[in-house]
Amino acid sequence: MPAASRTIIFNATPEAAYKVITDYEAYPQFLDVVNFERAEILSINGNTVEVRFTLNLIKRVQYTLKLTGTPNTALDWTLVESSIMKSNIGGWKLKDLGDGRTEATYSVDVVPSTRLIPRRVISMLTEQSLPATLGAFKKRIEG
């Protein structure tokens, strides 16, 4: 099971970080490292949102996540639907450092739906692109 977790410091409050992290429809504007084409909110129920993401990974891929947030503290997700993944579980944990900075831990665990998707592709999406993805969030949150 490819899984990855990284911690980063944002020079911003947890409120500012959470606002960017939960602005799903803006992801295509700054997450070019994973070729985001679109993020469409399908439903909202309190702090739970279902979002369909479209990426261009050699071919166009869509998947839907159910994301549940605890404002300014955490965001967790689980997979609702995907043709390429059996499972996608992850989240953000935000810790207020008290000086206008936030410690953010991002974790993701993805299981492909078929053996036809090479493990290295899933590994690339979860492990190798993670530093660039976190860098893109950092730039957006601090910018």
Side-chain angles (χ1 to χ4, degrees):
M1 233 191 258
S5 182
R6 294 283 184 279
T7 299
I8 189 169
I9 303 295
F10 296 135
N11 293 313
T13 64
E15 293 82 8
Y18 189 81
K19 184 177 179 181
V20 170
I21 290 166
T22 57
D23 187 4
Y24 313 111
E25 292 174 313
Y27 282 14
Q29 297 170 17
F30 68 96
L31 286 177
D32 54 355
V33 67
V34 288
N35 299 315
F36 262 99
E37 286 188 356
R38 184 172 182 186
E40 176 186 3
I41 294 175
L42 302 177
S43 68
I44 300 173
N45 184 4
N47 288 333
T48 299
V49 180
E50 279 197 15
V51 182
R52 179 182 304 127
F53 296 99
T54 304
L55 290 81
N56 190 352
L57 308 170
I58 303 170
K59 70 173 196 164
R60 187 164 283 115
V61 173
Q62 289 187 331
Y63 62 96
T64 302
L65 296 179
K66 180 179 183 178
L67 303 108
T68 302
T70 303
N72 311 323
T73 305
L75 177 72
D76 296 299
W77 67 78
T78 57
L79 183 68
V80 173
E81 178 181 35
S82 171
S83 61
I84 66 163
M85 292 177 270
K86 225 187 261 187
S87 172
N88 180 336
I89 301 167
W92 288 91
K93 302 295 181 224
L94 303 175
K95 179 181 176 186
D96 189 348
L97 296 178
D99 57 0
R101 296 181 313 140
T102 302
E103 179 184 273
T105 301
Y106 177 96
S107 301
V108 63
D109 190 356
V110 175
V111 177
S113 63
T114 174
R115 291 180 186 247
L116 297 177
I117 300 170
R119 186 174 182 84
R120 65 181 168 76
V121 171
I122 298 298
S123 245
M124 184 272 301
L125 291 174
T126 56
E127 182 71 31
Q128 295 174 9
S129 70
L130 192 51
T133 299
L134 290 178
F137 270 102
K138 182 174 177 70
K139 184 176 177 182
R140 181 77 169 202
I141 288 167
E142 295 176 358

PDB file of all heavy atoms in Angstrom, residues 18-37:
ATOM      1  N   TYR A  18      -6.319  26.688   6.365  1.00  0.00           N
ATOM      2  CA  TYR A  18      -7.543  25.903   6.184  1.00  0.00           C
ATOM      3  C   TYR A  18      -8.391  26.461   5.041  1.00  0.00           C
ATOM      4  O   TYR A  18      -8.979  25.697   4.264  1.00  0.00           O
ATOM      5  CB  TYR A  18      -8.337  25.874   7.494  1.00  0.00           C
ATOM      6  CG  TYR A  18      -9.506  24.922   7.480  1.00  0.00           C
ATOM      7  CD1 TYR A  18      -9.309  23.561   7.709  1.00  0.00           C
ATOM      8  CD2 TYR A  18     -10.798  25.366   7.256  1.00  0.00           C
ATOM      9  CE1 TYR A  18     -10.375  22.667   7.708  1.00  0.00           C
ATOM     10  CE2 TYR A  18     -11.875  24.482   7.258  1.00  0.00           C
ATOM     11  CZ  TYR A  18     -11.652  23.141   7.485  1.00  0.00           C
ATOM     12  OH  TYR A  18     -12.711  22.261   7.475  1.00  0.00           O
ATOM     13  N   LYS A  19      -8.414  27.774   4.933  1.00  0.00           N
ATOM     14  CA  LYS A  19      -9.199  28.409   3.862  1.00  0.00           C
ATOM     15  C   LYS A  19      -8.697  27.981   2.479  1.00  0.00           C
ATOM     16  O   LYS A  19      -9.480  27.650   1.592  1.00  0.00           O
ATOM     17  CB  LYS A  19      -9.143  29.930   4.004  1.00  0.00           C
ATOM     18  CG  LYS A  19      -9.990  30.661   3.002  1.00  0.00           C
ATOM     19  CD  LYS A  19      -9.960  32.158   3.242  1.00  0.00           C
ATOM     20  CE  LYS A  19     -10.806  32.864   2.187  1.00  0.00           C
ATOM     21  NZ  LYS A  19     -10.799  34.317   2.370  1.00  0.00           N
ATOM     22  N   VAL A  20      -7.384  27.946   2.297  1.00  0.00           N
ATOM     23  CA  VAL A  20      -6.817  27.524   1.008  1.00  0.00           C
ATOM     24  C   VAL A  20      -7.007  26.017   0.807  1.00  0.00           C
ATOM     25  O   VAL A  20      -7.395  25.574  -0.276  1.00  0.00           O
ATOM     26  CB  VAL A  20      -5.321  27.904   0.913  1.00  0.00           C
ATOM     27  CG1 VAL A  20      -4.665  27.264  -0.314  1.00  0.00           C
ATOM     28  CG2 VAL A  20      -5.162  29.426   0.865  1.00  0.00           C
ATOM     29  N   ILE A  21      -6.759  25.239   1.840  1.00  0.00           N
ATOM     30  CA  ILE A  21      -6.872  23.780   1.742  1.00  0.00           C
ATOM     31  C   ILE A  21      -8.290  23.353   1.365  1.00  0.00           C
ATOM     32  O   ILE A  21      -8.481  22.386   0.643  1.00  0.00           O
ATOM     33  CB  ILE A  21      -6.424  23.118   3.062  1.00  0.00           C
ATOM     34  CG1 ILE A  21      -4.908  23.278   3.228  1.00  0.00           C
ATOM     35  CG2 ILE A  21      -6.838  21.659   3.126  1.00  0.00           C
ATOM     36  CD1 ILE A  21      -4.394  22.962   4.622  1.00  0.00           C
ATOM     37  N   THR A  22      -9.288  24.088   1.820  1.00  0.00           N
ATOM     38  CA  THR A  22     -10.682  23.710   1.546  1.00  0.00           C
ATOM     39  C   THR A  22     -11.293  24.473   0.369  1.00  0.00           C
ATOM     40  O   THR A  22     -12.485  24.323   0.094  1.00  0.00           O
ATOM     41  CB  THR A  22     -11.562  23.908   2.802  1.00  0.00           C
ATOM     42  OG1 THR A  22     -11.472  25.270   3.237  1.00  0.00           O
ATOM     43  CG2 THR A  22     -11.127  22.962   3.913  1.00  0.00           C
ATOM     44  N   ASP A  23     -10.483  25.235  -0.346  1.00  0.00           N
ATOM     45  CA  ASP A  23     -10.956  25.917  -1.558  1.00  0.00           C
ATOM     46  C   ASP A  23     -10.694  24.998  -2.751  1.00  0.00           C
ATOM     47  O   ASP A  23      -9.878  25.265  -3.622  1.00  0.00           O
ATOM     48  CB  ASP A  23     -10.253  27.262  -1.726  1.00  0.00           C
ATOM     49  CG  ASP A  23     -10.822  28.088  -2.862  1.00  0.00           C
ATOM     50  OD1 ASP A  23     -11.826  27.667  -3.489  1.00  0.00           O
ATOM     51  OD2 ASP A  23     -10.252  29.158  -3.155  1.00  0.00           O
ATOM     52  N   TYR A  24     -11.410  23.883  -2.775  1.00  0.00           N
ATOM     53  CA  TYR A  24     -11.164  22.811  -3.744  1.00  0.00           C
ATOM     54  C   TYR A  24     -11.229  23.287  -5.185  1.00  0.00           C
ATOM     55  O   TYR A  24     -10.421  22.874  -6.017  1.00  0.00           O
ATOM     56  CB  TYR A  24     -12.155  21.661  -3.531  1.00  0.00           C
ATOM     57  CG  TYR A  24     -12.284  21.265  -2.089  1.00  0.00           C
ATOM     58  CD1 TYR A  24     -13.452  21.509  -1.369  1.00  0.00           C
ATOM     59  CD2 TYR A  24     -11.216  20.664  -1.414  1.00  0.00           C
ATOM     60  CE1 TYR A  24     -13.567  21.159  -0.030  1.00  0.00           C
ATOM     61  CE2 TYR A  24     -11.321  20.316  -0.078  1.00  0.00           C
ATOM     62  CZ  TYR A  24     -12.492  20.572   0.610  1.00  0.00           C
ATOM     63  OH  TYR A  24     -12.591  20.241   1.925  1.00  0.00           O
ATOM     64  N   GLU A  25     -12.189  24.129  -5.496  1.00  0.00           N
ATOM     65  CA  GLU A  25     -12.363  24.580  -6.881  1.00  0.00           C
ATOM     66  C   GLU A  25     -11.179  25.409  -7.372  1.00  0.00           C
ATOM     67  O   GLU A  25     -10.987  25.545  -8.580  1.00  0.00           O
ATOM     68  CB  GLU A  25     -13.678  25.348  -7.021  1.00  0.00           C
ATOM     69  CG  GLU A  25     -14.880  24.431  -6.838  1.00  0.00           C
ATOM     70  CD  GLU A  25     -16.207  25.168  -6.830  1.00  0.00           C
ATOM     71  OE1 GLU A  25     -16.323  26.201  -6.138  1.00  0.00           O
ATOM     72  OE2 GLU A  25     -17.120  24.686  -7.521  1.00  0.00           O
ATOM     73  N   ALA A  26     -10.349  25.915  -6.469  1.00  0.00           N
ATOM     74  CA  ALA A  26      -9.165  26.679  -6.857  1.00  0.00           C
ATOM     75  C   ALA A  26      -7.942  25.786  -7.103  1.00  0.00           C
ATOM     76  O   ALA A  26      -6.936  26.253  -7.632  1.00  0.00           O
ATOM     77  CB  ALA A  26      -8.834  27.727  -5.793  1.00  0.00           C
ATOM     78  N   TYR A  27      -8.013  24.513  -6.763  1.00  0.00           N
ATOM     79  CA  TYR A  27      -6.863  23.620  -6.923  1.00  0.00           C
ATOM     80  C   TYR A  27      -6.239  23.665  -8.324  1.00  0.00           C
ATOM     81  O   TYR A  27      -5.016  23.714  -8.442  1.00  0.00           O
ATOM     82  CB  TYR A  27      -7.242  22.180  -6.575  1.00  0.00           C
ATOM     83  CG  TYR A  27      -7.330  21.851  -5.101  1.00  0.00           C
ATOM     84  CD1 TYR A  27      -7.373  22.831  -4.109  1.00  0.00           C
ATOM     85  CD2 TYR A  27      -7.389  20.532  -4.683  1.00  0.00           C
ATOM     86  CE1 TYR A  27      -7.480  22.503  -2.759  1.00  0.00           C
ATOM     87  CE2 TYR A  27      -7.486  20.194  -3.343  1.00  0.00           C
ATOM     88  CZ  TYR A  27      -7.528  21.177  -2.386  1.00  0.00           C
ATOM     89  OH  TYR A  27      -7.622  20.840  -1.060  1.00  0.00           O
ATOM     90  N   PRO A  28      -7.031  23.657  -9.390  1.00  0.00           N
ATOM     91  CA  PRO A  28      -6.412  23.688 -10.721  1.00  0.00           C
ATOM     92  C   PRO A  28      -5.571  24.946 -10.973  1.00  0.00           C
ATOM     93  O   PRO A  28      -4.687  24.934 -11.824  1.00  0.00           O
ATOM     94  CB  PRO A  28      -7.613  23.649 -11.682  1.00  0.00           C
ATOM     95  CG  PRO A  28      -8.697  23.004 -10.892  1.00  0.00           C
ATOM     96  CD  PRO A  28      -8.487  23.488  -9.478  1.00  0.00           C
ATOM     97  N   GLN A  29      -5.803  26.010 -10.228  1.00  0.00           N
ATOM     98  CA  GLN A  29      -5.045  27.248 -10.411  1.00  0.00           C
ATOM     99  C   GLN A  29      -3.613  27.144  -9.895  1.00  0.00           C
ATOM    100  O   GLN A  29      -2.749  27.889 -10.350  1.00  0.00           O
ATOM    101  CB  GLN A  29      -5.747  28.410  -9.706  1.00  0.00           C
ATOM    102  CG  GLN A  29      -7.111  28.733 -10.255  1.00  0.00           C
ATOM    103  CD  GLN A  29      -7.860  29.720  -9.372  1.00  0.00           C
ATOM    104  OE1 GLN A  29      -7.285  30.399  -8.532  1.00  0.00           O
ATOM    105  NE2 GLN A  29      -9.176  29.772  -9.555  1.00  0.00           N
ATOM    106  N   PHE A  30      -3.350  26.240  -8.948  1.00  0.00           N
ATOM    107  CA  PHE A  30      -1.997  26.196  -8.374  1.00  0.00           C
ATOM    108  C   PHE A  30      -1.411  24.799  -8.198  1.00  0.00           C
ATOM    109  O   PHE A  30      -0.238  24.669  -7.879  1.00  0.00           O
ATOM    110  CB  PHE A  30      -1.963  26.957  -7.036  1.00  0.00           C
ATOM    111  CG  PHE A  30      -2.730  26.321  -5.915  1.00  0.00           C
ATOM    112  CD1 PHE A  30      -2.087  25.508  -4.985  1.00  0.00           C
ATOM    113  CD2 PHE A  30      -4.090  26.554  -5.759  1.00  0.00           C
ATOM    114  CE1 PHE A  30      -2.792  24.940  -3.932  1.00  0.00           C
ATOM    115  CE2 PHE A  30      -4.793  25.996  -4.706  1.00  0.00           C
ATOM    116  CZ  PHE A  30      -4.145  25.190  -3.795  1.00  0.00           C
ATOM    117  N   LEU A  31      -2.179  23.757  -8.422  1.00  0.00           N
ATOM    118  CA  LEU A  31      -1.656  22.398  -8.275  1.00  0.00           C
ATOM    119  C   LEU A  31      -1.330  21.775  -9.623  1.00  0.00           C
ATOM    120  O   LEU A  31      -1.779  20.682  -9.952  1.00  0.00           O
ATOM    121  CB  LEU A  31      -2.656  21.519  -7.504  1.00  0.00           C
ATOM    122  CG  LEU A  31      -2.747  21.793  -6.016  1.00  0.00           C
ATOM    123  CD1 LEU A  31      -3.817  20.923  -5.371  1.00  0.00           C
ATOM    124  CD2 LEU A  31      -1.407  21.583  -5.332  1.00  0.00           C
ATOM    125  N   ASP A  32      -0.512  22.454 -10.399  1.00  0.00           N
ATOM    126  CA  ASP A  32      -0.147  21.943 -11.716  1.00  0.00           C
ATOM    127  C   ASP A  32       0.796  20.747 -11.634  1.00  0.00           C
ATOM    128  O   ASP A  32       0.924  19.988 -12.576  1.00  0.00           O
ATOM    129  CB  ASP A  32       0.456  23.040 -12.582  1.00  0.00           C
ATOM    130  CG  ASP A  32       1.633  23.740 -11.927  1.00  0.00           C
ATOM    131  OD1 ASP A  32       1.940  23.459 -10.750  1.00  0.00           O
ATOM    132  OD2 ASP A  32       2.245  24.580 -12.600  1.00  0.00           O
ATOM    133  N   VAL A  33       1.425  20.527 -10.485  1.00  0.00           N
ATOM    134  CA  VAL A  33       2.334  19.403 -10.317  1.00  0.00           C
ATOM    135  C   VAL A  33       1.625  18.062 -10.511  1.00  0.00           C
ATOM    136  O   VAL A  33       2.227  17.096 -10.957  1.00  0.00           O
ATOM    137  CB  VAL A  33       3.053  19.461  -8.949  1.00  0.00           C
ATOM    138  CG1 VAL A  33       2.081  19.241  -7.807  1.00  0.00           C
ATOM    139  CG2 VAL A  33       4.165  18.445  -8.888  1.00  0.00           C
ATOM    140  N   VAL A  34       0.343  18.004 -10.190  1.00  0.00           N
ATOM    141  CA  VAL A  34      -0.416  16.773 -10.392  1.00  0.00           C
ATOM    142  C   VAL A  34      -1.440  16.932 -11.515  1.00  0.00           C
ATOM    143  O   VAL A  34      -2.368  16.148 -11.621  1.00  0.00           O
ATOM    144  CB  VAL A  34      -1.104  16.289  -9.089  1.00  0.00           C
ATOM    145  CG1 VAL A  34      -0.088  15.738  -8.119  1.00  0.00           C
ATOM    146  CG2 VAL A  34      -1.929  17.378  -8.456  1.00  0.00           C
ATOM    147  N   ASN A  35      -1.270  17.939 -12.335  1.00  0.00           N
ATOM    148  CA  ASN A  35      -2.104  18.161 -13.517  1.00  0.00           C
ATOM    149  C   ASN A  35      -3.602  18.210 -13.226  1.00  0.00           C
ATOM    150  O   ASN A  35      -4.398  17.586 -13.912  1.00  0.00           O
ATOM    151  CB  ASN A  35      -1.811  17.118 -14.590  1.00  0.00           C
ATOM    152  CG  ASN A  35      -0.378  17.173 -15.058  1.00  0.00           C
ATOM    153  OD1 ASN A  35       0.152  18.251 -15.304  1.00  0.00           O
ATOM    154  ND2 ASN A  35       0.268  16.032 -15.171  1.00  0.00           N
ATOM    155  N   PHE A  36      -3.967  18.948 -12.184  1.00  0.00           N
ATOM    156  CA  PHE A  36      -5.381  19.144 -11.876  1.00  0.00           C
ATOM    157  C   PHE A  36      -6.035  19.922 -13.002  1.00  0.00           C
ATOM    158  O   PHE A  36      -5.549  20.979 -13.400  1.00  0.00           O
ATOM    159  CB  PHE A  36      -5.563  19.948 -10.578  1.00  0.00           C
ATOM    160  CG  PHE A  36      -5.823  19.094  -9.383  1.00  0.00           C
ATOM    161  CD1 PHE A  36      -4.801  18.773  -8.519  1.00  0.00           C
ATOM    162  CD2 PHE A  36      -7.092  18.613  -9.119  1.00  0.00           C
ATOM    163  CE1 PHE A  36      -5.035  17.987  -7.411  1.00  0.00           C
ATOM    164  CE2 PHE A  36      -7.344  17.826  -8.013  1.00  0.00           C
ATOM    165  CZ  PHE A  36      -6.306  17.513  -7.155  1.00  0.00           C
ATOM    166  N   GLU A  37      -7.120  19.392 -13.526  1.00  0.00           N
ATOM    167  CA  GLU A  37      -7.882  20.108 -14.547  1.00  0.00           C
ATOM    168  C   GLU A  37      -9.116  20.756 -13.962  1.00  0.00           C
ATOM    169  O   GLU A  37      -9.514  21.841 -14.367  1.00  0.00           O
ATOM    170  CB  GLU A  37      -8.298  19.163 -15.677  1.00  0.00           C
ATOM    171  CG  GLU A  37      -7.157  18.783 -16.583  1.00  0.00           C
ATOM    172  CD  GLU A  37      -7.632  18.003 -17.798  1.00  0.00           C
ATOM    173  OE1 GLU A  37      -8.835  17.675 -17.923  1.00  0.00           O
ATOM    174  OE2 GLU A  37      -6.771  17.717 -18.645  1.00  0.00           O
TER     175      GLU A  37
END
